[in-house]
Amino acid sequence: MQIFKDIGSKPFAITAGSSFLLLLLLWSALSYTEAVNPIFLPKPHEVLTEMIHLLGTSDYWHHIGISVFRVMGGFLLACVIGIPIGIFAGTFKFGEAFIEPPMEFIRYMPAVAFIPLIMVWVGIGEWAKVMLIFIGCFFQLVLMVADNVRRVPHDLVQASFTLGASRWKVIETVLLPAIQPQLMHTLRLILGWAWTYLVVAELVAVNSGLGYAIMKAQRYLNTDQIFVGIIVIGLLGLISDRIFALMNKRFFPWV
C-alpha cells in the first residue's frame, strides 16, 4: 500500500479480477434473494442465457456492427479535425488565445442539447448519430491535445533552434514525435467517451444499434435484454481500450 509503488502484474490481475467478482457476488445476492424486484434486477444466469441467445442471432450482430460504425465514425472525424487544431493551439500562443476560449465555453454544453440542431443541419440519417458522437468528443480532444503539446519540455525546442532548425522543422521533428505517446493515451480516453455517447446518439430516429435495442427492451420491461445491451457496450469499449493500450506498449515501449 505504498504510494505509487508497483505491485507486479500478477497481484494486479488478481486484484482486478477480485473487484469484478465482488460486483458479481453483490448482484447475485440482491437478485437471487429477490431483495430487489426481478423486474428491475434480473438474475445473472438469466442475463447470460439471454446474451447467448441474442448473440446467436444475425439481427443483434447487425445492431453491434452499426453501433461500432457510428462510434468509430464520430471518433475518427473528431481526430482528423481536432488533432491538428489542438497542435496549433498548443504550439502557438496566438492559437491558444484564438481557439481555447470558445472550446472551453462549448465543451460544458451537453451534447444532447445539440440534437435539435443536428437534426436541422444533417437530417435524421446516419450522419446525425455520427455528428452527435463527434460533438461529444471534438471539443475535449482539442483541449487535451493542446495540453499534450504544452507538456513537451521547452529545453528540447530551444536546443533545436540552437542547432539551426526552423520553426516548422521543430514542429515536425521535435513536437510531433514528443507528443505521440501521450496523444495515444488521450485518444484512448476520448474513445471511451465516444462509447458513452452511443446510447444518446441512438435516440435520434433510429431502428438499429445497441442503444435502440436497449430502448426497445425498456418499453417492454425486458430488463435482461437491457443488461445484455449495457454489458455488450461495456465489452466493446473494453476491447477498444485494450487495443489502444497494446498499441501504446508496442509503439512506445519506453513510456
Side-chain angles (χ1 to χ4, degrees):
M1 297 297 289
Q2 296 183 30
I3 296 175
F4 298 143
K5 183 174 177 61
D6 190 10
I7 62 173
S9 58
K10 186 175 180 180
F12 187 93
I14 293 173
T15 305
S18 299
S19 66
F20 278 100
L21 181 61
L22 181 61
L23 288 175
L24 180 60
L25 290 174
L26 179 61
W27 178 11
S28 299
L30 293 174
S31 60
Y32 286 116
T33 62
E34 297 192 358
V36 179
N37 192 316
I39 294 178
F40 304 118
L41 187 66
K43 297 176 176 63
H45 78 274
E46 294 175 346
V47 174
L48 179 61
T49 301
E50 187 64 22
M51 178 182 290
I52 294 171
H53 167 69
L54 290 175
L55 292 178
T57 64
S58 59
D59 286 344
Y60 208 77
W61 281 104
H62 173 70
H63 290 317
I64 292 174
I66 196 66
S67 291
V68 171
F69 167 78
R70 289 163 181 165
V71 169
M72 296 309 299
F75 170 73
L76 292 175
L77 184 61
C79 290
V80 169
I81 301 175
I83 291 176
I85 295 175
I87 292 173
F88 175 69
T91 304
F92 303 105
K93 281 295 180 181
F94 171 80
E96 179 181 349
F98 183 76
I99 292 171
E100 291 205 8
M103 294 290 169
E104 289 280 4
F105 172 66
I106 298 173
R107 77 184 180 114
Y108 288 107
M109 299 178 183
V112 67
F114 287 90
I115 289 178
L117 281 176
I118 291 172
M119 295 175 70
V120 171
W121 290 340
V122 299
I124 59 174
E126 286 304 312
W127 268 108
K129 293 77 175 173
V130 171
M131 283 300 297
L132 185 61
I133 294 172
F134 165 79
I135 289 173
C137 297
F138 172 74
F139 302 103
Q140 302 283 358
L141 177 61
V142 170
L143 295 173
M144 293 178 72
V145 171
D147 187 61
N148 291 342
V149 175
R150 281 192 289 269
R151 291 185 181 185
V152 175
H154 290 190
D155 291 344
L156 293 177
V157 176
Q158 295 304 322
S160 301
F161 283 131
T162 301
L163 294 172
S166 65
R167 178 174 54 187
W168 299 111
K169 196 67 176 177
V170 169
I171 295 174
E172 178 186 352
T173 60
V174 177
L175 291 182
L176 294 183
I179 68 171
Q180 287 177 11
Q182 190 60 35
L183 178 61
M184 186 70 74
H185 181 67
T186 296
L187 295 180
R188 178 181 169 188
L189 294 176
I190 294 296
L191 182 57
W193 289 343
W195 280 107
T196 65
Y197 283 109
L198 174 65
V199 176
V200 176
E202 292 183 338
L203 293 176
V204 185
V206 293
N207 55 11
S208 62
L210 291 171
Y212 165 78
I214 290 173
M215 299 308 298
K216 182 179 178 181
Q218 182 265 339
R219 293 191 201 113
Y220 301 102
L221 287 179
N222 293 328
T223 319
D224 51 352
Q225 293 184 13
I226 296 175
F227 269 72
V228 171
I230 294 171
I231 291 171
V232 169
I233 291 175
L235 289 174
L236 291 171
L238 182 61
I239 291 170
S240 61
D241 179 83
R242 290 296 88 198
I243 289 173
F244 265 90
L246 290 173
M247 288 172 60
N248 213 356
K249 288 183 179 180
R250 172 66 178 83
F251 297 136
F252 313 109
W254 61 88
V255 178

